[in-house]
Amino acid sequence: MSHIQQPQTSFWNDTGKTGITSWIFSTDHKRIGLLYFYSTFGFFLVGVLLGLLLRIELMAPGRTIMGPQTYNALFTVHGVVMIFLFIIPGFQGSFGNLVMPIQIGARDVSFPRLNLFSWWIYMIGAVVILTSLFTGGGPPDTGWTFYVPFSSRTGTNVSLAVLGVFIIGFSSILTGLNFVTTIHRLRAEGMSWGRLPLFVWSLYATAWVQILATPILAITLVLVAAERLLGTGLFDPATGGDPLMYQHLFWIYSHPAVYIMILPAMGVISDIIPVFSRKPIFGYKMIAFSSIAIAAAGSLVWGHHMYTSGMSDTAILVFSFLTFIVAIPSAIKVFNWVSTLYRGSISLEAPMLFALTFILLFSIGGLSGLILGAAATDIHVHDTHFVVGHFHYVIFGGSGFAFFAAMHYWLPKFYGRRYAEKPAILAWALMFTGFNITYFTMQLLGMQGMPRRYYDYLPEFATLNLVSTVGSWILAGGLLIMLINLFRGLWWGPPFEGNPWGGATLEWSIPTPPPTENFIEEPLVTHGPYDFKGTGIP
Amino acid sequence: MNSRLITTTEAVDPVFMFLFGACLLLLVGITAAMLFFIVRFHRSRAPRPTSTADNNLWLEIVWTALPTILVLAMFYYGWYGYLALRRVPPDALPVTATARMWSWSFSYPNGATSPKLFVPVGKPVRVELVSLDVIHGFFLPAFRVKRDVVPGMKNHVWFVAPKAGSFDLFCSQYCGTAHSSMISTVEALPEAEFAAWLKQGSSTTATRPDGRKLAQEKGCLGCHSLDGTPGVGPAFKGLYQSQVEVMRAGKPLTVTADEAYLKESIRQPEALIVKGFQPIMPADPDLTDEQLEALVEFIKGLK
Ligand code: HEM
Ligand SMILES: [Cu+2]
Ligand SMILES: [Cu+2]
């Protein structure tokens, strides 16, 4: 590093205080980032346990370890936890907070107190959701989609769960506002839009989706609660309502929400691949632009979840067409990432392995998405295990593996310690293998016609289900090794200093772990995020 | 029909083939390129990058244009195949499928009803989809057809069974506790056999209904057991003349399960809710008074 190292206290021990209050009331973006990381990742682990239980139940036909009502509650809670408590808040909250302000050369986000408040709202919402599991009529059993009229009639604790999701929505909106403002207002001198790291670009696109789409979810959920508590009858045909209106409202948010889940992941990948290839990202402008294009066009394709609903054929025509149009920017990104590898100098360290795996698994998920986007083929596979396989490929294989990539890439920077490389690669290999066994078989099951949200199944589906369950154990084994290795390294491992991977973005130019103020003096940015000439690495 | 009828399977499967083919090609291409680059330009072989190229307008144009053409083709074939699923042949036999939590019932123009969907081989069938409670999904994997059964909406599907046999019929839209056991079958019979079945089916419904058979067909047994094991609803065994704790209009009280109680519980399931159970049982507006009597007699007999 070129500039003089002044003695600076890292953000870990700046205040001298170490108690829990120095964390949960901190307005430092790095501390808030870690708060988000541990809370969202904690919920991820809870979700994984529930997922494994679901797979054990499906290991053989008939009752294996639980009854149907329990199964239905578990897949609902699994879905709600993974979607609303892990992947939607996860990327923005954890790595967005940890890294984004540093990457643009800022001291903090625009509204640090609002940032802390967002985390608190998130936690309150999470507690409300958890409360719904143990009180009233018991855990909700509607699926994470809360489709009416089932959700307005079931005696389980849907109202409270919906309230929790509603509260969390505010956290999402506020984080979105905070990030948009920060990216507009707090870029350091010389940090032009064309020099923004692609991770920041992706957060920017995501933030707009959060701001614009989340209010629709909020209103929809309020209406579901009103339906249950006041009998407003907007959605229930028995009272003159329209159940399809609910589905439209729900998906107007929830399709864009899949971009909240995937765009930051794409950003992480776009940052990691050039570093481990020692070569500038190929097609910077196209990748940045396609993030915006995906965010914009993605808000018009919600109807592809409703081809079988009884919606008009004209609507199906339009939504199918638009769905295929949105596929194009994603394809462009994949081509650009792969081309970045060409004539680079590639090192397959853990972050890179996870990033490359993202490309493969996301491609499989994306391509199976084309089968779901085409009207004729969707009819057969809609609401089957094909869909379960598809979205796990995209959200877990895509966003989840990108999350792991980010953990291996950035967490050492914030802890100043590192994990061991060999176990990380073993963990990756197990997870990659287990993942494909678990979810590819689900896609096959779906092709054979096994519906989703299925507690029990006919004997013809038994073999593949067993295979899938065994796959989930391999996956879980890999995950366990990853956890032990990563956290042991971060807490007790050898020091991690300087810029071992040779990143050219600003976070690699400051001390490790970063000082509270991030930068000694406001940085002057003179080169792009993937210009590796100045990094001191040959 | 003179020109041979294209079945729904024949309309959809080529689209699957085309899409899977194209996807496989893309996947293999992407994976092969990635693997090749990783091996060829691994740091052990390429200690430093040999290019700093960071864009190429022509490449970008090509790989925007080619996928655009490809996805438009996919869209078009997908749409074209879908139209075949929507174009009901004019001579299709009309059948009504009634879905409820958690059973299917099929009724024919001549008044016959059946828990299984009997159809003649080679003759198109148009199924009107009716739901008595929440949204269900009518799904025939073997014929690639699926349509949600939405309360208050008139949805339909059509299909034709090309050969005799029994084919799975699933509920594809999640509908609560016993969603995964809401299974029936399509029984495709040769035309003459089907005609005979239809005639006999319509005549048996005219005779005095059989309570046990009704309980089975109407889906009661999906929730109420005959052997006393607890289910989604209270067991039938030993129910008659027992003391039941119920909620009526929000107030708890204990009543004797006499004949009037049984009848009210079947006709207006939401009026009295037994303690510990969910208010989810649907009423069946098609249930005749005669059938009600038969059901009550049947339940009374289960000591
Ligand atoms: C080891 C990890 C995991 C396993 C074993 C697993 C397994 C499963 C299974 C068996 C189902 C239900 C299938 C059905 O009956 O329809 C399911 C549903 C689901 N999973 Fe996972 N899963 C895992 C991780 C994830 C992750 C990481 C996410 C997202 C971030 C996720 C999101 C979902 C969602 C949204 C549903 C749908 C719930 C619903 O139908 O309402 N899962 N998963
Ligand atoms: Cu969607
Ligand atoms: Cu169902």
Side-chain angles (χ1 to χ4, degrees), chain B residues 102 135-137 171-176 179-180 182:
Chain B
W102 291 278
I135 305 179
H136 300 275
C171 175
S172 54
Q173 184 64 268
Y174 173 73
C175 57
H179 164 58
S180 65
M182 193 169 155

Side-chain angles (χ1 to χ4, degrees), chain A residues 315-356:
Chain A
I316 294 178
L317 176 75
V318 174
F319 281 120
S320 176
F321 177 75
L322 291 172
T323 300
F324 277 103
I325 296 299
V326 194
I328 301 168
S330 302
I332 293 174
K333 282 190 194 245
V334 170
F335 297 143
N336 278 301
W337 292 323
V338 174
S339 310
T340 304
L341 303 172
Y342 178 64
R343 298 184 74 179
S345 167
I346 298 165
S347 129
L348 292 178
E349 284 158 275
M352 183 64 161
L353 273 178
F354 280 110
L356 293 172

Side-chain angles (χ1 to χ4, degrees), chain A residues 151-402:
Chain A
S151 63
S152 56
R153 293 189 188 178
T154 176
T156 56
N157 219 346
V158 173
S159 307
L160 204 57
V162 157
L163 175 70
V165 174
F166 174 80
I167 294 174
I168 285 181
F170 282 96
S171 158
S172 193
I173 296 172
L174 291 179
T175 305
L177 282 170
N178 213 341
F179 280 18
V180 165
T181 320
T182 307
I183 296 169
H184 271 279
R185 309 289 304 165
L186 297 187
R187 280 171 291 129
E189 210 183 325
M191 180 56 80
S192 57
W193 288 93
R195 284 184 183 156
L196 281 185
L198 286 167
F199 181 53
V200 178
W201 264 111
S202 74
L203 291 175
Y204 181 73
T206 312
W208 276 111
V209 180
Q210 287 176 291
I211 298 171
L212 295 175
T214 318
I216 299 163
L217 176 73
I219 290 174
T220 312
L221 295 178
V222 169
L223 292 178
V224 171
E227 195 90 353
R228 288 176 65 82
L229 304 173
L230 311 172
T232 39
L234 288 174
F235 299 138
D236 194 333
T239 43
D242 179 1
L244 259 60
M245 181 167 77
Y246 171 83
Q247 296 181 18
H248 281 292
L249 285 171
F250 180 81
W251 289 113
I252 288 177
Y253 166 76
S254 295
H255 188 80
V258 309
Y259 297 117
I260 302 180
M261 308 173 205
I262 198 73
L263 280 172
M266 293 171 156
V268 170
I269 299 314
S270 310
D271 265 17
I272 291 180
I273 288 181
V275 171
F276 291 86
S277 310
R278 299 230 169 122
K279 195 169 155 263
I281 187 93
F282 195 86
Y284 173 92
K285 286 212 181 89
M286 277 307 254
I287 296 185
F289 169 74
S290 61
S291 285
I292 306 289
I294 290 176
S299 59
L300 298 173
V301 301
W302 74 85
H304 62 207
H305 297 271
M306 297 170 61
Y307 291 166
T308 67
S309 67
M311 181 173 75
S312 79
D313 289 344
T314 315
I316 294 178
L317 176 75
V318 174
F319 281 120
S320 176
F321 177 75
L322 291 172
T323 300
F324 277 103
I325 296 299
V326 194
I328 301 168
S330 302
I332 293 174
K333 282 190 194 245
V334 170
F335 297 143
N336 278 301
W337 292 323
V338 174
S339 310
T340 304
L341 303 172
Y342 178 64
R343 298 184 74 179
S345 167
I346 298 165
S347 129
L348 292 178
E349 284 158 275
M352 183 64 161
L353 273 178
F354 280 110
L356 293 172
T357 310
F358 167 96
I359 301 183
L360 184 62
L361 299 182
F362 174 74
S363 296
I364 298 178
L367 291 169
S368 69
L370 296 178
I371 312 270
L372 292 163
T377 44
D378 175 70
I379 300 299
H380 178 57
V381 286
H382 176 73
D383 268 335
T384 67
H385 263 67
F386 187 87
V387 176
V388 183
H390 155 75
F391 66 67
H392 281 92
Y393 263 99
V394 182
I395 320 182
F396 190 4
S399 310
F401 274 68

Side-chain angles (χ1 to χ4, degrees), chain A residues 69 141 345-346 380 382 460, chain B residues 43 46 54 146 168 174 177:
Chain A
Q69 187 62 28
D141 62 344
S345 167
I346 298 165
H380 178 57
H382 176 73
E460 66 223 48
Chain B
R43 200 159 289 166
D54 62 0
K146 179 183 291 126
D168 296 333
Y174 173 73
T177 312

Side-chain angles (χ1 to χ4, degrees), chain A residues 74-85:
Chain A
L74 282 196
F75 76 65
T76 303
V77 179
H78 169 77
V80 168
V81 164
M82 286 297 196
I83 299 286
F84 295 113
L85 299 184

